[in-house]
Amino acid sequence: MKSNFPFSKNQDPKDESKVFVPSRRDFLKLGSLVTGGFLLGVNFQCAGPKGETITFAPNVYIILDSDNQVTLVAHRSEMGTGIRTSLPMIMADELGADWSKIKIIQAEADQKFGDQNTDGSYSVRMFYEPMRMAGATVRHMLTQAAAKKWSIEASECHTENGQVVSSSGKTIDFGDLVADLQTMEMPKPEEVKLKEKSSYKLIGTDVAIYDAKDIATGKAVFGADVDLPGMKVAVVQRSPVVGGKALSYDDSTALQIPGVLQTVKIEGQGVPAGLDKPLEGVAVVADNTWAAMQGQKALKIKWDLGPNQSYQSLQQIQEMLQSVKSNGKVRRERGNFSSASGSASKVLDRTYVVPFYAHATMEPPVAIADWKEGFCEVWAPTQHPQWARTAVATALGMPEEQVKVNVTLLGGGFGRKSKPDYVVEAALVSKAVQAPVRVQWTREDDIHHDFYHAQSVQRIRVALDGQQNVSGWNHHTVFPSIGATSNPDELHPSDGELGLGCIDFPFEVPNIRIETHESKAHTRIGWLRSVSNIHHSFAINCMLDEVAEAKGMDPVDMLIGMLGEDRDLDFQSEIKGDFGNYGEPLDKFPWNTGRLKSVIQRVAQESNWKAGIASGKAMGFAVQKSFLTYVACVVEVAKDGNGALQVPVVHYAVDCGVPVNTDRIRSQFEGGAQFALSLALTGINFENGQVKENNFDGYSVIRMPQSPKNIHVHILDSQEKPTGVGEPPVPPFIPALCNAVYKLTGNRIYELPLKV
Amino acid sequence: MEDFSLSINGKSIQVNVPSDMPLLWVLRDVLAMKGTKYGCGQGLCGSCTVLLDGNPIRTCAFPVGEVKGAKIVTIEGISEAGDHPVQKAWVEHVVPQCGYCQSGQIMSAVALLDRNPNPSDQDIESAMSGNICRCGTYNRIKEAIQTASKNL
Ligand code: FES
Ligand code: FES
């Protein structure tokens, strides 16, 4: 009964033969990789013997065939954001395809698709235009081909529901034009006209995700669901402390477990651990998962735990609390904070502490590799297929061309599955045992060996002058940098990390100083859904709420006032490093105070902020632009009969530019609120270099009874360039929650996890 | 290793496995039924939920030796065509985000509606509290269960 189907021939065995996309060589000949990876001018012929399906793939993302099937290639990874639906639907809308008949296939790792790193909430931002262009180019060709057939002008033709339609009402299926398309020249980009927004049928609407039914029937294929003939399963015991080395090990008990076949040592690189290298460990290879898990427990490993074995995370917090009391490295300066505070009528001085977080993706890391002499094929739930390919090739000492990375659905990502360490493990173990292997992480492995969101300490001082105006803002931030995972000399937060919700403090305050302090990384630090925005937004928004209270003002009114005129901000002259703007030039994606005000006003209006609230409940407010998306949030809290915190209502207002798939925008915010509430209530702690928490009992994730209830997502009807929504829901939720808790209980929250 | 005769989705299936092997791994590794997912291995998350004589159980912590002739129903077995009212409601409300937890969520929902066809919000919350969704689809799950309860 064991299923043997290889994943790459998923469901329809015809898929493979139909999918013919231009080879890499064709692209290199053309030579110009346009931003985003869309390539025009690629044309080729693949007409088979008579009667065979003819395929036309004018670019790497769209395949038409004479059976009238439109196949769209999803080249970015689906981890729950809906991107596997949202990018294809942009193409389908420009193309005029029949969405209900579209087939979507997942791309393997290949440079020809352009950027595949599904991270940083930039899939839609980067690919909105290229996807439109891809669809519009094929539409252009289809109308040309039909017009020629009908001896009319192409301008008299348009596409609709998978057909070309003439102004006199003639119709022809796309599939019937495929043979004609093959003989045509690709149009020049300037000949291709994009649709007006008003004629979109899919963009800006609720489009259900492509995989909904497969998921609801258990048929969707996630990483661990890939099954290969003769595949073994490996579970790895990794060094409990990052940088540890196995001096020796005894696998005799493990090998006695029925089903356990052998053990394989995996070499780690010690310290620094790196972002794409496995940790040192011993893999127990078995013929089933259960045996491998038991084998892992039965291993006796003698460790040299290395330099991090005396690391205590709470002690490091104490050190960080000390360091923020002194002067740090100045990263942004406007005016002179010291003189502002010297002449202030009042100075608020507050310190904020946020713990480490683990991603705890519902699907723990897992990867399958099938190594053969000269070729290694991998199946993995990876956010970054191209990095996985490079990392595997490097680890095996093979050229990249000999490594194929297939991408499955991801059971959650949140940044964890960008890092290819677990994929490399599978490749190494497969090579060692000369058989296909699935490396399966247990939940404990996942909680113990993550790339954690860094713990942080922040101190903010605010000077109020004699008129109660905010005259000075001094923000100290300290946390181990992601960069330190590869380079231990990186002791300060990087420019990039400060760009995540700290350095771009947008309010009109005459004197601003932002400072950082040194701290070391004693574990692997990585990025987790919204990254440094999590702690920065918490501290800044909690402080601003306190400032409003000190001024006797409503925080919403205060912030609108402090944003000043509607205008584009430029921080560069005050910043000591680079202002990253999430990788986008400011002229293309300006930092606009008017857009921030609009989301503040909208959320205040929708939540009836000004009207107040019944006793026993309270509302809190916060605003945070992140990943170029503007978000304001109101959280309502109450206590249930047992004194437990409840979140009955949440309002979000979001300006993410032109909304693409409104249903998935809402779902990201609904889920983002839940994700953020989990962060507010839990944390990871290290003792003697080892993570104390083991599973969902110690590292809790909220469950349905605690979950925020009515989450209203108000999407602004924006004409601006679209920006992402995967991460932006998280940052403002936590401070809005804490500000609400203060109003309910009278206790200001300076430290997470939140204790109510 | 022992022989076990299991009733899964109405079919009788023989397996030869250690009696302490959790039912989850019998389903996934031995029988290649991949719809039931591994999330924690400790009965904490609900990803591995199936029905045992109609009751939701966490297969990751349920040794195959304890099944003892009880009838097992998995996500693959609740409908022939994927059209169980719960499945239809899941698609209608576009519940899934990543989707990994959803087999378990659906099985808990099916078990709830089997014994309580008109659950209150509170009934739903307590019946579903063993199922974690890291993506945070809880509100749509609740709405989908309410829709399904009308279409049973
Ligand atoms: S895997 Fe069984 S409850 Fe989590
Ligand atoms: S949908 Fe991703 S964990 Fe539930």
Side-chain angles (χ1 to χ4, degrees):
Chain A
M1 228 188 123
K2 194 145 181 138
S3 139
N4 285 336
F5 78 89
F7 173 76
S8 54
K9 294 219 174 81
N10 190 6
Q11 293 140 11
D12 177 1
K14 266 168 51 197
D15 277 6
E16 280 265 292
S17 55
K18 277 190 196 168
V19 178
F20 183 64
V21 289
S23 76
R24 186 134 187 231
R25 228 183 23 239
D26 295 328
F27 287 104
L28 295 180
K29 246 190 308 194
L30 285 150
S32 66
L33 191 69
V34 183
T35 312
F38 173 60
L39 286 134
L40 287 176
V42 181
N43 201 356
F44 63 93
Q45 318 250 326
C46 66
K50 239 182 147 77
E52 207 172 279
T53 299
I54 302 170
T55 306
F56 174 68
N59 57 58
V60 296
Y61 307 122
I62 301 180
I63 301 152
L64 306 186
D65 68 37
S66 54
D67 296 342
N68 209 25
Q69 178 65 54
V70 176
T71 303
L72 302 176
V73 177
H75 71 296
R76 302 185 63 86
S77 300
E78 182 57 84
M79 61 185 127
T81 62
I83 203 63
R84 195 169 127 85
T85 302
S86 301
L87 292 184
M89 80 182 238
I90 298 169
M91 283 192 276
D93 213 352
E94 279 288 354
L95 184 57
D98 179 350
W99 180 251
S100 66
K101 300 204 179 100
I102 289 282
K103 183 145 90 191
I104 297 176
I105 57 170
Q106 189 70 34
E108 63 182 88
D110 199 316
Q111 301 297 340
K112 74 186 178 198
F113 296 109
D115 187 307
Q116 291 181 279
N117 176 15
T118 318
D119 214 325
S121 301
Y122 66 79
S123 295
V124 166
R125 190 205 318 157
M126 182 181 271
F127 284 97
Y128 182 65
E129 292 296 333
M131 292 289 125
R132 289 172 75 198
M133 211 40 204
T137 302
V138 179
R139 167 171 44 78
H140 178 92
M141 296 177 77
L142 285 162
T143 51
Q144 297 276 342
K148 197 166 162 211
K149 247 190 174 54
W150 294 331
S151 304
I152 57 174
E153 291 297 313
S155 58
E156 293 173 59
C157 300
H158 70 282
T159 59
E160 196 177 307
N161 285 325
Q163 294 186 313
V164 181
V165 182
S166 79
S167 48
S168 65
K170 274 196 282 232
T171 62
I172 183 167
D173 286 348
F174 289 178
D176 294 335
L177 291 166
V178 165
D180 306 80
L181 293 179
Q182 287 199 305
T183 63
M184 288 169 69
E185 285 291 309
M186 296 294 290
K188 294 194 182 69
E190 55 275 18
E191 291 169 0
V192 175
K193 262 179 71 189
L194 298 174
K195 285 185 178 174
E196 293 297 321
K197 202 183 155 204
S198 56
S199 52
Y200 284 136
K201 295 208 165 74
L202 299 168
I203 294 170
T205 68
D206 287 355
V207 175
I209 54 168
Y210 181 71
D211 300 295
K213 187 164 180 191
D214 279 352
I215 291 168
T217 51
K219 293 199 180 84
V221 178
F222 294 89
D225 303 335
V226 175
D227 217 341
L228 301 176
M231 187 175 74
K232 317 283 179 244
V233 187
V235 173
V236 183
Q237 181 60 47
R238 299 171 189 80
S239 172
V241 177
V242 167
K245 288 279 188 182
L247 298 173
S248 62
Y249 70 95
D250 170 3
D251 58 7
S252 53
T253 320
L255 289 171
Q256 277 162 23
I257 294 166
V260 171
L261 304 167
Q262 68 181 94
T263 59
V264 174
K265 171 95 183 288
I266 297 175
E267 302 284 340
Q269 61 168 18
V271 175
L275 289 167
D276 56 359
K277 302 281 189 299
L279 293 169
E280 177 102 349
V282 178
V284 177
V285 184
D287 61 18
N288 67 77
T289 317
W290 173 240
M293 284 175 166
Q294 286 178 301
Q296 178 201 34
K297 290 201 187 99
L299 283 174
K300 295 180 199 80
I301 306 176
K302 196 160 179 283
W303 295 105
D304 168 6
L305 292 172
N308 290 321
Q309 62 185 298
S310 56
Y311 173 61
Q312 324 292 342
S313 54
L314 287 180
Q315 185 189 320
Q316 187 183 34
I317 290 285
Q318 293 308 316
E319 292 159 13
M320 290 155 84
L321 284 167
Q322 282 305 314
S323 66
V324 295
K325 288 182 184 161
S326 54
N327 292 332
K329 181 169 153 189
V330 176
R331 309 293 288 270
R332 176 177 170 192
E333 189 130 61
R334 173 194 290 173
N336 185 329
F337 176 80
S338 305
S339 55
S341 66
S343 61
S345 69
K346 185 171 190 175
V347 176
L348 297 175
D349 185 348
R350 303 287 182 258
T351 304
Y352 301 88
V353 179
V354 181
F356 284 105
Y357 295 120
H359 300 76
T361 54
M362 206 69 232
E363 169 198 52
V366 62
I368 290 88
D370 184 8
W371 179 91
K372 295 198 174 67
E373 194 63 53
F375 197 72
C376 184
E377 185 160 10
V378 163
W379 291 258
T382 169
Q383 288 177 241
H384 199 333
Q386 291 160 349
W387 194 11
R389 190 183 193 196
T390 310
V392 167
T394 306
L396 295 176
M398 289 162 96
E400 268 190 36
E401 290 66 33
Q402 292 174 12
V403 176
K404 178 172 176 175
V405 176
N406 304 285
V407 182
T408 66
L409 290 176
L410 284 68
F414 313 121
R416 168 62 183 96
K417 291 175 186 165
S418 309
K419 274 76 85 183
D421 57 319
Y422 57 102
V423 190
V424 174
E425 287 177 346
L428 293 173
V429 179
S430 175
K431 184 178 179 184
V433 305
Q434 311 251 316
V437 169
R438 162 162 54 90
V439 166
Q440 175 68 58
W441 286 46
T442 66
R443 176 60 60 197
E444 288 80 5
D445 296 340
D446 174 53
I447 301 289
H448 292 164
H449 305 293
D450 198 359
F451 293 82
Y452 303 90
H453 173 88
Q455 67 176 5
S456 61
V457 167
Q458 297 166 85
R459 177 185 181 207
I460 302 181
R461 290 191 293 164
V462 175
L464 295 172
D465 65 17
Q467 286 78 50
Q468 293 293 294
N469 290 320
V470 179
S471 56
W473 177 269
N474 176 214
H475 187 167
H476 295 252
T477 182
V478 54
F479 52 95
S481 171
I482 293 166
T485 305
S486 309
N487 174 13
D489 296 337
E490 289 200 19
L491 296 173
H492 282 270
S494 66
D495 289 349
E497 287 165 315
L498 291 184
L500 302 170
C502 173
I503 210 80
D504 56 344
F505 181 76
F507 300 102
E508 280 194 331
V509 176
N511 303 288
I512 294 175
R513 186 192 293 156
I514 297 176
E515 304 171 55
T516 57
H517 300 262
E518 291 186 354
S519 63
K520 281 196 178 131
H522 297 276
T523 181
R524 301 196 293 184
I525 308 292
W527 45 99
L528 179 146
R529 195 176 187 179
S530 82
V531 205
S532 315
N533 279 293
I534 295 171
H535 45 272
H536 290 146
S537 175
F538 163 63
I540 292 171
N541 278 287
C542 287
M543 182 48 129
L544 289 170
D545 197 66
E546 213 169 322
V547 171
E549 185 181 41
K551 284 161 63 83
M553 272 188 90
D554 179 89
V556 166
D557 294 339
M558 180 186 84
L559 293 181
I560 297 272
M562 283 172 69
L563 281 168
E565 294 294 305
D566 290 2
R567 66 201 189 287
D568 292 341
L569 299 176
D570 184 358
F571 308 94
Q572 196 56 68
S573 61
E574 296 167 9
I575 293 179
K576 308 294 172 196
D578 287 326
F579 179 55
N581 204 38
Y582 297 91
E584 298 288 357
L586 273 168
D587 56 348
K588 237 176 112 200
F589 286 90
W591 211 126
N592 187 272
T593 55
R595 292 178 73 187
L596 197 69
K597 279 194 250 175
S598 298
V599 292
I600 296 174
Q601 279 153 343
R602 179 73 183 272
V603 86
Q605 173 201 334
E606 298 281 358
S607 64
N608 275 324
W609 174 259
K610 288 286 168 69
I613 192 165
S615 72
K617 292 181 175 180
M619 287 194 288
F621 166 84
V623 62
Q624 183 78 7
K625 180 191 177 199
S626 68
F627 302 88
L628 310 178
T629 292
Y630 299 77
V631 184
C633 179
V634 167
V635 173
E636 184 183 312
V637 294
K639 282 191 176 180
D640 69 9
N642 305 319
L645 187 70
Q646 290 285 318
V647 181
V649 181
V650 179
H651 286 273
Y652 275 115
V654 51
D655 176 355
C656 56
V658 172
V660 174
N661 185 349
T662 42
D663 175 68
R664 284 304 97 177
I665 295 171
R666 282 198 307 277
S667 71
Q668 282 304 291
F669 278 82
E670 292 161 9
Q674 314 278 1
F675 193 92
L677 181 59
S678 287
L679 295 182
L681 299 174
T682 195
I684 289 286
N685 295 279
F686 289 81
E687 271 177 15
N688 302 319
Q690 311 189 17
V691 171
K692 268 175 69 183
E693 294 72 20
N694 300 307
N695 205 314
F696 290 124
D697 43 359
Y699 186 67
S700 62
V701 167
I702 57 153
R703 294 164 185 275
M704 192 186 279
Q706 307 159 278
S707 69
K709 294 296 170 316
N710 298 291
I711 302 169
H712 305 280
V713 185
H714 311 287
I715 304 168
L716 273 71
D717 183 22
S718 176
Q719 306 301 319
E720 303 287 341
K721 292 189 185 67
T723 51
V725 293
E727 295 167 272
V730 174
F733 180 90
I734 299 174
L737 172 80
C738 293
N739 291 336
V741 166
Y742 165 67
K743 281 196 220 152
L744 189 72
T745 65
N747 297 322
R748 285 276 174 201
I749 310 298
Y750 300 108
E751 187 171 351
L752 299 178
L754 174 64
K755 292 174 200 72
V756 189
Chain B
M1 305 285 272
E2 273 178 61
D3 286 325
F4 294 94
S5 176
L6 302 173
S7 158
I8 305 177
N9 300 331
K11 287 198 201 96
S12 167
I13 295 173
Q14 322 301 318
V15 292
N16 180 256
V17 290
S19 65
D20 64 346
M21 184 186 274
L23 182 54
L24 173 65
W25 302 115
V26 176
L27 291 170
R28 289 188 57 85
D29 287 358
V30 181
L31 301 174
M33 297 174 70
K34 307 288 188 184
T36 308
K37 306 297 182 195
Y38 165 77
C40 72
Q42 301 288 339
L44 297 165
C45 76
S47 300
C48 64
T49 305
V50 307
L51 307 185
L52 194 75
D53 281 345
N55 297 312
I57 59 153
R58 313 296 179 213
T59 53
C60 68
F62 200 99
V64 63
E66 298 297 313
V67 174
K68 297 196 168 78
K71 290 190 171 52
I72 298 161
V73 177
T74 71
I75 185 76
E76 292 91 350
I78 54 172
S79 67
E80 281 284 317
D83 55 357
H84 186 285
V86 171
Q87 290 171 312
K88 279 163 78 178
W90 243 247
V91 173
E92 184 188 328
H93 289 269
V94 202
V95 170
Q97 287 186 29
C98 81
Y100 193 79
C101 72
Q102 300 295 346
S103 296
Q105 305 278 4
I106 287 172
M107 296 314 289
S108 291
V110 167
L112 164 67
L113 292 172
D114 280 349
R115 56 169 197 277
N116 179 358
N118 286 302
S120 68
D121 271 9
Q122 232 165 14
D123 295 338
I124 295 175
E125 284 184 11
S126 69
M128 301 303 293
S129 65
N131 289 80
I132 291 175
C133 176
R134 182 58 157 160
C135 298
T137 62
Y138 296 123
N139 292 337
R140 293 200 193 202
I141 289 173
K142 199 187 279 177
E143 289 160 17
I145 291 174
Q146 281 151 348
T147 298
S149 93
K150 291 184 199 109
N151 299 325
L152 285 176

